[in-house]
Amino acid sequence: MLVPIFTLKLNHKINPRMVAIGKYDGVHPCLTAATQAGKVFIHNPHSRSQRVSAHRMIQSNQDSDISLLNINQNVSCLTAGVLNPHLGYDCLVVGTQTNLLAYDVHNNSDLFYKEIADGANAVVLGNLGDIVSPLAIIGGNCALQGFDCSGEDLFWTVTGDNVRSLALCDFDGNGKKELLVGSEDFDIRVFKEDEILAEMSETETITALCPMYSSRFGYALSNGTVGMYDRTTRYWRIKVDARSDRTGEVIFKDNFSSSVAGVVEGDYRMDGKTQLICCSIDGEVRGYLPSSQEATGSLMDTSVEQELVRELSQKKQNLLLELRNYQENSKQVESRIPQSEPDGQVGVIPANTQLQTALSVSLGSDTQNAHVELSISTSNDTIIRAVLIFAEGIFEGESHVVHPSAQHLSGLVRVPICPPKDVPVDLHIKAFVGYKSSVQFHVFELTRQLPRFSMYVLNNVSTSPEPSSYVIFPTNERVQRVVLWLNQNFLLPEDTEIQNIPFQIGFTSLRDGGALLLGMKASGEISLRTDDMDLAGDIIQSLASFLAIEDLSVEADFPDYFEQLRKVLVQVDESHSVHQKLTADMADQSNLIRSMLVQAEDARLMADMRNMKKRYNDLYDLNRDLINQYKIRCNNHTELLNNLKCVNQAIQRAGRLRVGKPKVQVITACRDAIRNNNINALFRIMRVGATPS
């Protein structure tokens, strides 16, 4: 249990998830947070005699513990930690949508100030893998970058969507940190430098990641869910509170008058004890310490005792209800009241009753889209009164209830399922089974896995159109292994037989009607034809994992997609040109404004009201033009970000067509080609891979 030990009112609004604590002089911990109007405040109650001035930092007032750092842009992320080990103290790293600042608070100076094309949505500071220098790693528009203390770019790679959270954790237990990345596509990815070690899918945007110890880490989603992973195994997940990392049990609760902006830890009282420090968006700060074992009993306040009584009362009611059900059932069995059930036994069903499930593909109808159909049935004349299904990422609220009306009760229930992504999903099914006149039902529980590519229906290869895009790669595997993978990942009809090679099998997507052809030659070469580059990458990653392929190079061509990408790259160049021209024009007009202002003031001092009025009118018109140009510049920047996201996603998709070292080489080579503005080399790398240096 935690005990509150101090409370502060800082009178500054705090941006959510932008709170850190740093020892900027190497000794005293300072609470740091982003606030509104492009500022960062630093609360330092330990050295009130120290005053800083000039450059970026200003003091709020003579007696305040708070100093303000002017960023002059909306802050999107911040952190504190050791970036330059030779300094012996922490620095502050602040990110915006266009720049990254590494700031030496102690000396009131910049370590570096970099322009960031992909923006900075999240930042983490520390050592990554075998890279010697500590890095300030930022995640932005589908891209990850790491900078050392001098601002040199030592790490870069791409990920699947906009990054929202970052953390460093020893994921594989080798004593070196890996990078955890949470993004808007609901995935947690683990990077060993620029190689992906693992991917875990969640049900919402990952807004926070927190390393615990060893390979264990916590996470939070945008819908309020929190949970715990140990490597790729999820221990538990639930919504809110402070909970045990082992069991998920609530260990502490407290209430703020406004939302929590951030939680950090540090010895803020300088008494040798680390406190848990919680900050609200209204600027309220509370520090907590674990209570001693002896004091725990006396510290339980009335609200905690009431909560315990309420929980015990609920358990009592549940047990009494269950006991009453057993008693009612026993009475009705003894009285043998005539009913439609065998022997008039209310609630009793045959001992050999089984719940059976089947998955099939339905092409839909005029009133229903194509979908996967889950059939749930009983093995005799019993009926299914209701079905409850829990599944992540498929149903709204992660659960679905089917409750047929009394007129339509039967021993068969069909549930349409439309998974939005190609990931394997466990369906946890609970069904109430009995007879039509039953008032008590038996609950059957079972789990059925939905195959990864269940939203693809088998079709006739000879009649389906052949996609213009393809991926080809060699393997040394037997055809039986590939067929086994097909059966595990697709919903194939029972009479489907694939024994001889060469073979080719075709599918149609239930989502958009796109064609997918899979084939294998006698030489072991596997061909994959689809115009969906994401689907091709998912299939290659799944097949490589199943066949235990560590390194895989492919030859690939997606002509339609590459043509679209070529147009996007042209738009990127145009956006850069417009940006440079607008910046130059705004600089010229700013100089002209200064000149006009001086002339207008000179005219005023000389009582030349006519010229003064003319100059101020010209100044008003010029200012209006500047505002319009700023709007154009903002629109141009938004368009540039969208196009850069497309480019980064294209690089990530090209990488997912490969496995292991070839994947890393392709991503690195693609970035070098873009840096050198060598578009032809970029498309050649995406098609045939990168030549090892």
Side-chain angles (χ1 to χ4, degrees), residues 435-580:
Y435 288 95
K436 287 187 177 181
S437 58
S438 297
V439 293
Q440 298 172 10
F441 296 89
H442 290 256
V443 179
F444 284 74
E445 298 185 27
L446 55 86
T447 299
R448 179 74 185 262
Q449 187 175 74
L450 193 65
R452 180 168 188 172
F453 303 106
S454 57
M455 287 291 284
Y456 299 85
V457 60
L458 188 68
N459 63 20
N460 191 334
V461 176
S462 60
T463 59
S464 61
E466 186 171 295
S468 58
S469 306
Y470 67 87
V471 181
I472 298 173
F473 56 93
T475 66
N476 296 320
E477 290 292 337
R478 295 176 290 111
V479 66
Q480 290 83 0
R481 292 265 292 159
V482 177
V483 171
L484 183 60
W485 170 81
L486 281 169
N487 280 291
Q488 288 186 6
N489 288 273
F490 291 84
L491 289 176
L492 298 179
E494 293 182 359
D495 57 352
T496 304
E497 292 187 4
I498 306 172
Q499 295 180 346
N500 301 321
I501 53 174
F503 76 83
Q504 191 172 51
I505 187 170
F507 298 90
T508 301
S509 171
L510 299 182
R511 298 188 183 99
D512 57 14
L516 167 64
L517 300 180
L518 283 166
M520 185 174 184
K521 295 181 179 179
S523 61
E525 181 184 88
I526 294 178
S527 63
L528 170 63
R529 287 192 170 272
T530 176
D531 292 322
D532 187 341
M533 201 170 180
D534 286 320
L535 173 60
D538 288 341
I539 288 176
I540 288 172
Q541 296 298 317
S542 174
L543 186 57
S545 175
F546 181 82
L547 300 177
I549 299 174
E550 294 183 358
D551 296 307
L552 178 66
S553 296
V554 306
E555 177 187 341
D557 191 18
F558 291 81
D560 294 340
Y561 181 78
F562 288 164
E563 184 59 32
Q564 293 175 5
L565 180 59
R566 191 180 293 275
K567 293 177 181 178
V568 168
L569 290 169
V570 171
Q571 292 174 356
V572 169
D573 287 339
E574 292 174 352
S575 296
H576 279 305
S577 300
V578 171
H579 174 76
Q580 292 173 357

Side-chain angles (χ1 to χ4, degrees), residues 339-405:
Q339 297 190 36
S340 58
E341 300 178 24
D343 298 326
Q345 297 179 4
V346 178
V348 177
I349 62 174
N352 62 352
T353 303
Q354 293 182 342
L355 193 67
Q356 300 166 340
T357 62
L359 289 168
S360 60
V361 177
S362 172
L363 299 179
S365 62
D366 295 338
T367 58
Q368 192 173 33
N369 294 329
H371 57 270
V372 176
E373 188 171 85
L374 171 65
S375 299
I376 306 170
S377 60
T378 60
S379 58
N380 47 38
D381 60 347
T382 53
I383 58 96
I384 299 175
R385 190 66 185 88
V387 173
L388 176 61
I389 304 175
F390 297 93
E392 294 180 19
I394 294 181
F395 307 115
E396 185 177 355
E398 301 181 20
S399 63
H400 181 70
V401 178
V402 180
H403 199 285
S405 62

Side-chain angles (χ1 to χ4, degrees), residues 116-128:
I116 307 297
D118 295 308
N121 300 329
V123 62
V124 67
L125 204 157
N127 289 92
L128 174 62

Side-chain angles (χ1 to χ4, degrees), residues 7-26:
T7 300
L8 304 172
K9 297 285 188 179
L10 299 183
N11 299 320
H12 285 275
K13 298 287 186 181
I14 299 177
N15 292 345
R17 293 185 293 277
M18 298 184 200
V19 181
I21 193 165
K23 296 181 179 179
Y24 301 121
D25 60 358

